[in-house]
Amino acid sequence: MTINLDISGMTCVACAARIEKVLNRLDGVSAHVNFATETAHVEIVEKTNGSITVETLIAAVQRAGYDAKPAIDPFLAADADARAEEEKLAAALKRQRNILIAAALLCLPFLWQMVLMLIGGNHAILPPWLQFLLAAPIQFVAGARFYKGSWHALRGGAANMDVLVALGTSCAFLLSLVVWLWPLPDQHVYFEASAVIITLVLFGKWLEARARARASTALKSLMALQPNTVLRLSNGTVENVPLAQIHPGDAYLVRAGDTVPVDGTITAGHSALNEAMLTGESLPIDKSVGDTVFSGTINLSGALECTATAVGHTTLLAGIVRQVAQAQGSRAPIQRTADRVAAVFVPAVLAIAVLTLIANGFALGDWTQALLRATAVLVIACPCALGLATPTALIVGVGRAAQAGILIKNAEALERAEQIDTLLFDKTGTLTTGTPYLVGLHVLPDLDENTLLSTAAALEQGVNHPLAQAIVVAAQARGLTLPAVTDVQQHSGLGVSAVLDGEIWCIGSPAFLQKQGIDIATASWDVEEAATPVVIADGTRLKGVLLLADTIRDNAALTMAALRAQRITPYLVTGDRERAAQPVALLAGIDEVRTQQLPQDKRALVMALQQAHHVVGMVGDGVNDAPALAQADVSFAMGAGSGSALAAADMTLLRNDLTMVADAIDLSRATLRKIRQNLFFAFIYNVLGIPLAAFGLLSPVLAGAAMALSSVSVVTNALLLKRWRSRTE
């Protein structure tokens, strides 16, 4: 049995780990908590005689200090419920932003004081009582989330950035309070340090919350492909009913231009369907009685009567959504450096501070001085620079990427992109433009090319089909005059027939003309292996073959060369047949080719490469790429791709320029270098400062100044990323 829960109250990955640990302690339960989507997936793996229920799981989560509720099938949820949930998330993000703004305003008076600390000033601009009134709301109202997060992290047996922030700011604030209320000679207050630290870290947390809010848009855009209503057929009448009222076995109607609401089997009608969201193939697929249609695909021409075979969470589209959710919720291969160090850093600093207090107290016989030295240890160890080291570099790097037309979803993507050694490319719409065009004409001796093309365009004009439109565009490009045709009939998903000069002409797929009794044995189109044939006849005799194909992007070969220079192996992974894929791979310079890959096959290939210890990137543009994009360590979406591909991807290339993939990897490597340098700056102050503070060679004032200087160092170093340039700049 499987139970899904919506979790609330988590503030970091340690919270998710805590909840997962609590749930897995229950007999017969295997749970995985997804922090990005705030959900828990629970499998009852053993016979529990009904002892494990939804209520049992919710109670366990509540005992851990969080809250939970049963998850609702998103494919059956009411629109009002979805809107209410979105409004709730938006309100929470707005509240967090307002707290940040209030904290920033309260920090403004401290700026002059921090400037004086940097230039050697030893007096406060503001009186201590005013500093207290400004800092207290920041410390205990704006900073309340850090105390709560610290409590949950420590109770779960871990120490994260919340612990560092709460510990460092509390020490600075409490020391300032002691100095103010019980005046110590020649001592200073540090209210500005605690206030500014909390405000800066709140800014980083707000950016993180925005990224997490966007993480769910991939699933939302996928689910949006499914319409909310269905045209149900009942006793010869058509009624528009909500999606939740359709059941397997029900008959329903799909009109031309409509999106298929649920998976089904065609019982009447013929049409061409756009299944690019499943196969990645830009050309429509002909469908007739007995064929299967899938939820989210688009009916391009004739009306179809179908029988529902799968609804709600059982549709193929729902399966893709689950794959995306599972890939997004999988464990990150690399944890943030600051969080890893924090687990050792916090207890080590506490131990050093206690040791400093005791050793100096007995050695000096002056416990006031001992307390000041211990406080100096804690102040120099305050995690301002550590908290800024990664976010400042990320802010500059992500901003520079946006200027270059690269949108980056989260920090993990930037971190992992540096290590990519294998990069998978979709074909249609990624390596190619996704728009068919005329590549060749095979004309029988009694016609010339222009006559054949103008006749074909006359038959196809007005037909809403990519191949038909490509033929018309080709005729227009040659400036041809189209002959007049009458009695035009569209044969749904197959072709067109019309009367020209008293004769019936037909144009369409080879199968369509064969059904019309046309002998196409003399036609030849194997010369253009990557092309799709469109055959034309005058009713009884074959007249010629038009060959249409997609075009490879101009900079594909340049991009592959750049990737190989970065020691990255490119793959071509497509739902197309091998004859269409191999010429594209040859032109692009790709040796590794995988063809006829369904969405689950692409994701399986990514997983297999990951299991072979490769760091895998994926570049795609369609819904069919979404599971692989989500499973990949880093995913890239072309700007002209579908909304779900863009949302599922970690990086979006706005200009449809493949060289931007190499640029994104270059920028990730530059950013990671800055992050490592910043972490070095952050820790070198502690490595040098903590011993000086412990031996009384560094006063709390100088410790605070050193802390501020470390912050300036990491920010200045991060700003150097603005010098990075893309290949097109």
Side-chain angles (χ1 to χ4, degrees):
M1 181 173 65
T2 300
I3 298 175
N4 293 313
L5 300 174
D6 289 332
I7 307 295
S8 59
M10 293 190 294
T11 61
C12 63
V13 179
C15 300
R18 168 67 178 168
I19 296 171
E20 190 171 293
K21 184 177 180 180
V22 169
L23 289 174
N24 285 327
R25 286 175 180 170
L26 300 175
D27 292 336
V29 169
S30 175
H32 174 62
V33 178
N34 185 335
F35 175 65
T37 58
E38 296 185 311
T39 58
H41 180 77
V42 183
E43 294 281 351
I44 310 300
V45 296
E46 297 179 4
K47 294 182 179 179
T48 58
N49 298 321
S51 61
I52 301 298
T53 63
V54 173
E55 291 74 18
T56 305
L57 299 173
I58 292 176
V61 173
Q62 291 173 338
R63 286 195 301 272
Y66 307 90
D67 203 0
K69 63 180 180 179
I72 302 174
D73 185 350
F75 284 91
L76 298 178
D79 287 344
D81 295 335
R83 286 195 300 269
E85 188 64 25
E86 290 181 1
E87 290 173 358
K88 181 180 178 181
L89 293 175
L93 189 59
K94 182 178 180 180
R95 184 166 55 252
Q96 189 173 347
R97 184 201 64 188
N98 292 339
I99 291 175
L100 171 62
I101 293 174
L105 291 175
L106 289 172
C107 271
L108 289 178
F110 287 123
L111 291 180
W112 283 110
Q113 187 163 314
M114 294 194 70
V115 170
L116 288 178
M117 290 177 63
L118 289 175
I119 63 176
N122 58 2
H123 64 278
I125 297 176
L126 303 175
W129 64 267
L130 181 56
Q131 293 190 50
F132 170 78
L133 293 178
L134 291 171
I138 298 176
Q139 184 72 39
F140 300 110
V141 179
R145 59 172 297 165
F146 300 117
Y147 290 104
K148 183 178 180 181
S150 299
W151 167 247
H152 290 309
L154 293 173
R155 191 168 65 170
N160 60 4
M161 286 299 295
D162 284 342
V163 173
L164 288 173
V165 172
L167 175 65
T169 58
S170 295
C171 289
F173 186 88
L174 291 176
L175 174 63
S176 301
L177 197 62
V178 170
V179 171
W180 172 43
L181 295 179
W182 294 276
L184 299 177
D186 300 323
Q187 299 304 322
H188 302 272
V189 294
Y190 305 97
F191 289 119
E192 79 286 344
S194 64
V196 172
I197 290 168
I198 288 179
T199 303
L200 290 172
V201 178
L202 279 176
F203 179 64
K205 289 288 187 179
W206 177 65
L207 292 177
E208 178 185 344
R210 290 180 63 195
R212 285 180 54 206
R214 289 195 298 269
S216 63
T217 58
L219 303 182
K220 292 177 183 176
S221 60
L222 283 171
M223 290 184 289
L225 292 171
Q226 189 177 47
N228 296 321
T229 59
V230 184
L231 295 176
R232 185 169 60 188
L233 297 172
S234 179
N235 298 323
T237 62
V238 179
E239 55 180 339
N240 195 3
V241 301
L243 184 64
Q245 294 184 18
I246 199 75
H247 303 286
D250 288 350
Y252 64 94
L253 175 68
V254 185
R255 298 170 302 190
D258 285 352
T259 300
V260 178
V262 296
D263 294 357
T265 302
I266 299 175
T267 57
H270 302 274
S271 186
L273 278 81
N274 182 350
E275 294 189 343
M277 54 84 67
L278 295 177
T279 65
E281 176 55 59
S282 61
L283 302 179
I285 307 297
D286 295 334
K287 297 279 187 174
S288 58
V289 175
D291 291 333
T292 301
V293 294
F294 299 101
S295 173
T297 59
I298 301 173
N299 181 19
L300 297 176
S301 46
L304 298 174
E305 294 183 11
C306 308
T307 299
T309 56
V311 301
H313 65 276
T314 63
T315 64
L316 182 60
L317 177 61
I320 293 177
V321 170
R322 282 193 297 273
Q323 286 185 344
V324 173
Q326 290 169 4
Q328 286 184 330
S330 58
R331 294 299 189 196
I334 296 180
Q335 297 296 327
R336 290 180 174 85
T337 303
D339 283 339
R340 292 200 303 268
V341 174
V344 177
F345 183 72
V346 173
V349 169
L350 282 173
I352 293 172
V354 171
L355 182 61
T356 298
L357 176 64
I358 296 174
N360 281 280
F362 283 109
L364 300 175
D366 186 346
W367 289 94
T368 299
Q369 278 297 319
L371 177 61
L372 289 174
R373 292 184 180 186
T375 303
V377 169
L378 292 173
V379 170
I380 194 66
C382 194
C384 186
L386 184 60
L388 288 172
T390 298
T392 49
L394 289 175
I395 290 170
V396 177
V398 170
R400 189 66 193 88
Q403 291 176 339
I406 304 168
L407 298 185
I408 300 173
K409 178 182 286 186
N410 52 46
E412 181 185 337
L414 204 63
E415 182 180 0
R416 293 294 284 168
E418 181 205 30
Q419 304 172 15
I420 290 176
D421 59 30
T422 305
L423 195 57
L424 277 56
F425 288 86
D426 177 47
K427 182 181 77 69
T428 305
T430 301
L431 284 176
T432 65
T433 62
T435 303
Y437 71 106
L438 186 69
V439 295
L441 289 168
H442 293 278
V443 188
L444 294 190
D446 58 340
L447 285 180
D448 59 73
E449 285 192 359
N450 285 343
T451 301
L452 179 70
L453 181 56
S454 63
T455 302
L459 295 171
E460 296 280 28
Q461 64 179 340
V463 177
N464 185 23
H465 191 290
L467 293 181
Q469 294 171 358
I471 292 172
V472 174
V473 169
Q476 292 173 342
R478 295 192 184 190
L480 301 179
T481 301
L482 307 186
V485 296
T486 59
D487 195 21
V488 178
Q489 296 184 18
Q490 295 187 32
H491 303 265
S492 299
L494 300 172
V496 177
S497 63
V499 176
L500 173 63
D501 294 333
E503 288 186 300
I504 298 177
W505 284 68
C506 298
I507 186 171
S509 66
F512 170 59
L513 266 68
Q514 284 180 322
K515 288 182 180 180
Q516 305 303 311
I518 306 299
D519 182 13
I520 64 171
T522 57
S524 175
W525 53 78
D526 287 339
V527 177
E528 304 285 350
E529 292 187 348
T532 298
V534 175
V535 190
I536 185 172
D538 67 356
T540 58
R541 300 181 307 278
L542 181 69
K543 292 297 183 179
V545 180
L546 298 91
L547 298 170
L548 296 105
D550 207 348
T551 180
I552 190 170
R553 296 189 186 275
D554 294 336
N555 50 20
L558 177 63
T559 301
M560 301 310 134
L563 291 174
R564 283 191 291 272
Q566 296 172 331
R567 297 184 179 179
I568 297 173
T569 302
Y571 277 65
L572 173 57
V573 185
T574 178
D576 251 341
R577 64 193 191 284
E578 186 172 357
R579 289 175 59 187
Q582 284 293 351
V584 174
L586 182 63
L587 290 172
I590 299 177
D591 297 326
E592 299 289 343
V593 182
R594 303 291 186 272
T595 59
Q596 296 181 321
Q597 299 285 294
L598 294 175
Q600 58 268 30
D601 299 326
K602 294 182 179 182
R603 181 173 182 249
L605 175 61
V606 173
M607 295 176 66
L609 290 168
Q610 288 171 332
Q611 290 171 359
H613 307 293
H614 291 284
V615 180
V616 183
M618 172 72 190
V619 186
D621 75 310
V623 179
N624 64 300
D625 302 319
L629 287 169
Q631 178 64 43
D633 296 301
V634 183
S635 51
F636 304 81
M638 302 299 290
S642 69
S644 58
L646 303 185
D650 297 311
M651 299 188 184
T652 300
L653 314 179
L654 295 182
R655 291 199 298 267
N656 282 330
D657 185 346
L658 281 176
T659 60
M660 295 172 71
V661 177
D663 286 339
I665 296 173
D666 277 343
L667 181 57
S668 73
R669 293 176 176 178
T671 304
L672 264 294
R673 282 195 299 271
K674 291 301 179 186
I675 290 175
R676 294 188 184 100
Q677 292 168 5
N678 283 352
L679 289 173
F680 170 79
F681 285 133
F683 284 112
I684 196 65
Y685 286 101
N686 289 299
V687 171
L688 297 177
I690 289 177
L692 293 176
F695 288 101
L697 301 176
L698 187 66
S699 69
V701 173
L702 293 178
M707 178 202 67
L709 183 59
S710 67
S711 301
V712 172
S713 299
V714 299
V715 172
T716 302
N717 188 51
L719 290 175
L720 295 177
L721 275 173
K722 290 186 176 182
R723 298 179 180 178
W724 178 87
R725 292 291 180 269
S726 69
R727 287 171 171 78
T728 57
E729 290 180 316

